Amino acid sequence: SDQTVQKCIPELVHDYYRPPQCGTSSAVPCKPQGRRKWHWSHSSHTRSLARRCTAAMNMALVLVLFSLGFVVASTKSHSPACRTGIAHSNRTANAPCSGALGDQCNFVCDLGWIQVGSRLVCQCYTTKSGDEVLDHQFWGARCERACKGNLSSCDSGEVAVRWNSTDATGPCFSTRCHTEEVALQRLAAGAWAPWKLVRDPVTGIYAGTSDNTVGPELQSDVAHIGINGVGLMFECVADAMKWQTRAQAQERVRLTLSALAGELPGFHLKRQVPDGWIPTFFNKTTGAALNHNPPVYTTLDTGLNSAGCLFARTYFTSTSAVRDTTPQARAATAEIARLGAKVFGLVNFTNLLCSADGKVAPNGVGGVAIPFTFSDDGIGNGLHLPKPDGYYDYSELHYTVWLSYHQTCRDAPLGQCENKDIEQMWRKWQGRRLHPDVSWTDISTTKSYDLLSLWSSYIVHLPFYATHSFNSDPHWTALFNNHFAADLAYYQSPAFYSGDRGRFGVGAGFTEQWCSAKDSGYEADMLVQGGSRQDTPGAQGCKMYSPYAVAGYLPASPAFIRGQLLQLLADGESVLPCETGYMLLRKSLIDPGWNQNNKVSMVDFASELFGLSTLFLSTDFWVNNTDHIWVTS
């Protein structure tokens, strides 16, 4: 009588690989709960319910999974060899893939079935919680059914874009054919769609997460201050790409800046007194601070917001001579310039520095520590102090430190700023690019990479696209390129046995808790030292890959990553179609049925449009529009 348990039957097991279509829910796989114990979980948009299959169904379930090539025996293998049949291919149970750990198996899908992924590798994996997910199994690439009456391949000169769909027979992959250029244009336009979805039409404020299964009226009310700066940058991208008219873009930017500047009636953004720092989270309709009482004010995301406001100011003023052909258009740009300068000036970035015990250092005098947050009483927390080599640890605070230097010193080169404490802070920050103190070594090749951090890709993406000091500096950009190379190598190593067809990207975002490396529903993935790190079970968590992280690295290797994105579109498992195009979302290599369609963290997803924009507007779009004329009012 238990309907959830009744779904442990063959015709529903294929939903292992099915993310739900917008507005629906979908089953995801039985997960191991210790040796030979499984339960079936059923996902909805608001919760994940799990029911243990009854003992009577255990054997039936194992047989079903065997038919799909997931399990080859009901007991643990004591042999190092893998023998796995791949459903709907020439490698069925009668002619399975066979080999030792690390061996790769080639296969051909049956007629009417499509190969998803490229590497099928003999491997093992145990999660941090002890779930033995893979026990000497060939795992990775697979065969998926093409929808009936639908193209399974495209003509010469065209590329396939696929996504999870359903026909009269059941789950299948739908295919649409485009030229490469159109496919990538529609991917970029799709990456813009969530930003329109989460923006409040009355205040112009952006929420920090998107639910792509519902309309704008059902989006979260929780705004993220850094995301509002990014949203303003993307309004500029949308104007440059002609996704909206110039007048529409100007009005949307003006409204958002008016709210941030304190000039929108009914909206009051909480700020720290007297220096103007802003809480990370606040209500997007009222501006009231959320999550902390008393509020905690972020230097990190206040900086990202200000960087976005200045970006909009610079973009509209620099394009005004060509684009603003009427007095009304020129007046709108002048208003954007005024508001952008005002929002920047509402924060006293000169008071960023603290003493070693966290007390604010007025005008930076005697300050040595850079805080992540401030409280109402001017005490800084999460302090960055210079390391023994004299330089600060690198983080996304880059844009806040950059703004502090230029608000204080304007365009003065190092050595000529009157405020020597702020100048010294900037010197110690910039010194890190010449003296990186983090490295990652791939133990499968012994190659090492000098890096700025082991954290997710956002830690270099956001400063690259938001600051001229990063994107125009050959030392910073060389390290950006190293992060890309290490990311790809990490996924190609035995830690993932992946890295092909776009399946890499050390990203951050929502994840499944059952296999999380940090026991969390949101996780910032990291480069784990040592490649496979077989001595640390579950170090790769749910083995997430983040296509938006891949896209964000486009300036590092444009031709290669362009090809990877097209392959992700062709495989379809990470594709979510939308009204304006397609999105590529975060996926799990060990639980491909999981999806994040209904919960996307915008600060992480931002990398997708950041990178894709460079295919059409060039990297110079970001270099030029972060090169500001420094004003405070």
Side-chain angles (χ1 to χ4, degrees):
S1 63
D2 188 323
Q3 294 302 307
T4 305
V5 171
Q6 287 178 13
K7 290 191 176 181
C8 286
I9 52 177
E11 58 264 35
L12 273 253
V13 171
H14 194 70
D15 277 352
Y16 189 100
Y17 294 119
R18 294 288 169 249
Q21 296 301 299
C22 295
T24 68
S25 61
S26 173
V28 294
C30 291
K31 304 175 195 145
Q33 301 292 300
R35 189 180 303 175
R36 296 180 61 194
K37 295 180 180 178
W38 298 74
H39 74 275
W40 188 266
S41 70
H42 185 268
S43 297
S44 71
H45 298 311
T46 57
R47 64 191 183 279
S48 177
L49 300 176
R51 308 286 183 93
R52 189 171 299 279
C53 292
T54 61
M57 299 189 68
N58 280 345
M59 184 56 70
L61 178 59
V62 169
L63 292 173
V64 168
L65 292 173
F66 175 77
S67 73
L68 293 180
F70 304 147
V71 175
V72 296
S74 62
T75 60
K76 182 178 179 179
S77 171
H78 294 285
S79 166
C82 298
R83 284 180 60 83
T84 310
I86 308 303
H88 311 291
S89 79
N90 63 334
R91 292 285 194 170
T92 61
N94 294 326
C97 293
S98 180
L101 287 174
D103 287 350
Q104 186 165 321
C105 179
N106 297 318
F107 65 97
V108 177
C109 293
D110 294 343
L111 185 64
W113 292 74
I114 301 164
Q115 181 172 326
V116 175
S118 63
R119 297 183 71 186
L120 183 67
V121 181
C122 173
Q123 55 189 291
C124 296
Y125 187 68
T126 301
T127 67
K128 183 180 178 182
S129 58
D131 289 335
E132 193 173 43
V133 182
L134 302 174
D135 178 14
H136 294 89
Q137 292 171 248
F138 278 93
W139 187 261
R142 63 187 190 274
C143 297
E144 291 286 354
R145 188 174 66 85
C147 295
K148 291 184 178 179
N150 199 261
L151 295 171
S152 59
S153 61
C154 297
D155 294 336
S156 176
E158 294 184 319
V159 295
V161 177
R162 298 189 175 92
W163 61 92
N164 290 275
S165 189
T166 305
D167 62 14
T169 302
C172 58
F173 269 46
S174 187
T175 303
R176 185 175 295 164
C177 298
H178 302 290
T179 65
E180 285 189 6
E181 193 74 5
V182 169
L184 292 168
Q185 286 175 348
R186 289 184 62 77
L187 180 58
W192 161 237
W195 296 91
K196 294 185 292 181
L197 192 65
V198 301
R199 182 180 178 275
D200 189 290
V202 177
T203 64
I205 297 296
Y206 299 82
T209 59
S210 70
D211 181 346
N212 299 293
T213 69
V214 298
E217 70 283 354
L218 296 177
Q219 298 300 314
S220 171
D221 286 331
V222 180
H224 181 290
I225 188 58
I227 277 308
N228 280 269
V230 176
L232 287 168
M233 297 181 202
F234 288 158
E235 296 291 344
C236 300
V237 171
D239 180 65
M241 292 291 292
K242 307 296 176 61
W243 291 334
Q244 55 187 348
T245 67
R246 179 74 166 189
Q248 287 173 329
Q250 287 174 318
E251 176 53 26
R252 286 168 65 89
V253 170
R254 185 206 63 79
L255 179 61
T256 302
L257 287 173
S258 294
L260 296 172
E263 296 186 12
L264 184 66
F267 184 87
H268 177 72
L269 181 61
K270 178 70 175 175
R271 289 179 179 269
Q272 187 235 28
V273 177
D275 294 322
W277 306 106
I278 306 169
T280 302
F281 300 106
F282 58 97
N283 186 285
K284 74 177 183 181
T285 60
T286 68
L290 299 174
N291 291 4
H292 296 280
N293 188 17
V296 174
Y297 304 92
T298 170
T299 61
L300 178 77
D301 287 302
T302 298
L304 181 55
N305 178 68
S306 294
C309 294
L310 290 174
F311 189 99
R313 182 183 192 274
T314 297
Y315 170 77
F316 278 97
T317 55
S318 66
T319 56
S320 181
V322 174
R323 298 289 304 281
D324 296 336
T325 58
T326 67
Q328 294 85 351
R330 290 189 288 273
T333 289
E335 180 67 354
I336 288 170
R338 181 189 73 81
L339 289 168
K342 180 178 179 180
V343 175
F344 178 46
L346 286 174
V347 182
N348 185 2
F349 285 96
T350 301
N351 278 359
L352 173 63
L353 280 174
C354 294
S355 61
D357 59 0
K359 294 179 181 178
V360 67
N363 296 317
V365 177
V368 292
I370 306 170
F372 267 108
T373 64
F374 274 113
S375 59
D376 273 317
D377 57 5
I379 300 298
N381 291 288
L383 302 180
H384 269 44
L385 285 162
K387 298 187 74 173
D389 64 1
Y391 306 111
Y392 289 105
D393 259 340
Y394 173 82
S395 73
E396 323 93 288
L397 275 170
H398 183 94
Y399 25 76
T400 303
V401 179
W402 173 62
L403 293 173
S404 177
Y405 177 77
H406 283 290
Q407 189 183 82
T408 306
C409 305
R410 303 298 193 273
D411 290 316
L414 280 173
Q416 298 181 28
C417 179
E418 294 181 3
N419 189 318
K420 296 304 177 183
D421 293 279
I422 296 296
E423 181 181 67
Q424 183 72 348
M425 172 193 70
W426 185 234
R427 189 187 302 276
K428 291 180 177 181
W429 189 272
Q430 286 286 85
R432 182 57 67 201
R433 78 201 200 283
L434 304 177
H435 304 278
D437 61 344
V438 176
S439 66
W440 178 81
T441 301
D442 180 358
I443 63 171
S444 63
T445 64
T446 69
K447 183 174 181 179
S448 292
Y449 302 83
D450 287 334
L451 303 173
L452 292 163
S453 172
L454 298 175
W455 283 100
S456 307
S457 56
Y458 63 79
I459 206 164
V460 291
H461 289 177
L462 290 168
F464 179 94
Y465 292 99
T467 71
H468 191 71
S469 58
F470 196 116
N471 60 38
S472 66
D473 185 284
H475 302 290
W476 287 120
T477 55
L479 288 162
F480 178 91
N481 295 344
N482 278 7
H483 274 257
F484 158 67
D487 188 313
L488 179 60
Y490 182 40
Y491 278 81
Q492 290 175 336
S493 78
F496 289 90
Y497 292 117
S498 185
D500 296 85
R501 301 188 67 81
R503 284 167 176 76
F504 60 101
V506 181
F510 294 102
T511 188
E512 288 190 279
Q513 194 160 350
W514 75 269
C515 50
S516 167
K518 300 174 183 176
D519 302 316
S520 171
Y522 176 93
E523 193 161 322
D525 303 324
M526 298 181 69
L527 285 163
V528 176
Q529 283 283 16
S532 64
R533 191 64 183 273
Q534 295 173 350
D535 60 318
T536 307
Q540 286 74 39
C542 298
K543 292 200 173 187
M544 307 301 294
Y545 71 93
S546 299
Y548 42 73
V550 176
Y553 281 122
L554 266 161
S557 186
F560 174 77
I561 295 177
R562 175 190 172 103
Q564 297 291 299
L565 296 174
L566 289 168
Q567 290 174 332
L568 283 167
L569 288 171
D571 281 1
E573 75 172 359
S574 63
V575 176
L576 179 66
C578 61
E579 184 178 350
T580 57
Y582 312 103
M583 290 179 273
L584 291 172
L585 298 178
R586 185 165 159 89
K587 295 291 291 183
S588 166
L589 291 170
I590 63 170
D591 193 353
W594 177 87
N595 73 83
Q596 64 162 171
N597 297 350
N598 65 312
K599 200 166 188 180
V600 175
S601 52
M602 301 304 288
V603 70
D604 304 310
F605 181 70
S607 292
E608 191 154 315
L609 188 50
F610 275 142
L612 287 165
S613 67
T614 66
L615 292 176
F616 308 101
L617 304 176
S618 85
T619 303
D620 285 345
F621 179 83
W622 299 96
V623 175
N624 295 336
N625 290 302
T626 53
D627 189 7
H628 308 307
I629 297 173
W630 295 100
V631 295
T632 57
S633 61

